[in-house]
Amino acid sequence: MGDSQQGRRSRRSPVGPLRGRVAVVTGAARGVGEALSRSLSHAGMRVALIGRERETLLATAARLPGPSICIEADVTDRAALADAARRVEAALGPASVVVANAGIGVSGRFDRTTPALWQRVIDVNLTGSANTARAFLPQLTQTRGYFLQIASTAAFGAAPMMSAYCASKAGAESFALALRGEVKADGVQIAIAYLHWTGTDMLTGIDGNPVLEALRRNQPRLARRVHTPDQVASWLTQGIALRAPHIYAPPWLRWCQPLRPLFPALVSRIARRELKDHLGGALSSPAEVLGSGGHADWDSFRALRGFPPPDQ
């Protein structure tokens, strides 16, 4: 009787369908990607970690309870991702879950952001997601799998001084919605995750952004709460196990979807007031890459392109 009850509880477990399958997570070296890799591994998945920081990836993989593989790759490099897809299938098997999580951010005025840096955010966050889908769609078609695009509430209402990030996240959302209709007949589920304030090093980096500080300050107390990457990873894992078409982190965000037409006007109203009060300072400073992961990507990109150091 006890074993039978335990078996029924196991079958009802939201992570049961994931056991023994293969997951791919980009941007897995830190933040939400690192936490999600751990969560999926604890759910019984074999996990492929893809990112730019090899040593950090290896350290993350060493903490996983299940089989894994680390692949250092730039999501803007289609050839590198195609090679990564071949390596994943050879080492772990075809992917059943692919999470396009890699992303970077920049805080600063558009006219104070170098064209190369602005373009890099678009390339990583938007084009990198498309490259990830292109590389792994054959495997997902084979497994009738699940592709999760990590988006953001930045797609709900664009914030000044975050133009590249907001544009890339809105674009990634639209890309995923378009792709969903194309591959549905193949049995592939395309999903979108909307993340709110999450305690990664990227969030720490926006402390000097007066508009984002004001937006958060003017939100209801519930909406101002910062959630840990582990908590966000738990919500994502539950949604992945259920093959949910949308995942909200935190879950109450789903009730904001009908209100989306109101958000641009609200953001614009707060932004105008804050920008008027901050004509100097942060508004006149050069744009800043956010977080350690963003700096690792940008520094590597600059080195490969032979750009001079920032102070030259």
Side-chain angles (χ1 to χ4, degrees), residues 50-277:
I50 298 178
R52 296 301 304 273
E53 303 167 81
R54 178 172 174 77
E55 295 304 319
T56 308
L57 286 172
L58 290 171
T60 297
R63 295 191 292 270
L64 302 185
S68 65
I69 181 176
C70 294
I71 301 174
E72 186 178 8
D74 181 350
V75 294
T76 69
D77 186 337
R78 290 193 300 273
L81 279 179
D83 179 66
R86 289 189 291 268
R87 292 174 59 186
V88 169
E89 186 166 20
L92 302 176
S96 293
V97 172
V98 175
V99 183
N101 168 73
I104 61 173
V106 173
S107 174
R109 283 176 51 137
F110 174 75
D111 60 2
R112 299 287 291 172
T113 308
T114 65
L117 179 53
W118 200 93
Q119 185 66 54
R120 183 62 185 172
V121 176
I122 301 296
D123 289 345
V124 172
N125 298 4
L126 174 55
T127 308
S129 294
N131 290 344
T132 301
R134 189 182 300 278
F136 286 96
L137 268 178
Q139 294 180 33
L140 292 175
T141 301
Q142 177 185 342
T143 61
R144 300 179 71 83
Y146 183 91
F147 179 88
L148 178 60
Q149 174 63 60
I150 300 297
S152 166
T153 50
F156 288 11
M161 298 185 66
M162 294 288 288
S163 62
Y165 185 79
C166 293
S168 67
K169 288 300 182 179
E173 178 192 34
S174 293
F175 164 70
L177 289 171
L179 184 62
R180 177 181 291 171
E182 297 178 17
V183 300
K184 183 176 181 180
D186 299 325
V188 179
Q189 172 69 283
I190 305 296
I192 305 169
Y194 298 96
L195 276 55
H196 198 41
W197 303 111
T198 305
T200 65
D201 56 8
M202 185 182 294
L203 180 64
T204 303
I206 68 171
D207 286 343
N209 186 316
V211 175
L212 291 181
E213 288 179 345
L215 289 174
R216 184 161 175 245
R217 188 170 62 249
N218 283 275
Q219 290 176 344
R221 179 177 298 179
L222 177 66
R224 294 198 301 266
R225 182 178 177 184
V226 176
H227 299 279
T228 67
D230 285 341
Q231 177 62 78
V232 170
S234 177
W235 287 321
L236 295 177
T237 300
Q238 293 174 29
I240 292 169
L242 296 171
R243 291 178 68 89
H246 300 92
I247 304 175
Y248 298 92
W252 59 258
L253 277 177
R254 70 179 64 253
W255 305 114
C256 294
Q257 282 283 21
L259 303 176
R260 285 182 66 168
L262 303 176
F263 290 154
L266 292 173
V267 172
S268 178
R269 181 178 180 180
I270 294 172
R272 282 198 303 269
R273 183 177 67 240
E274 293 301 316
L275 292 174
K276 183 178 179 181
D277 293 340

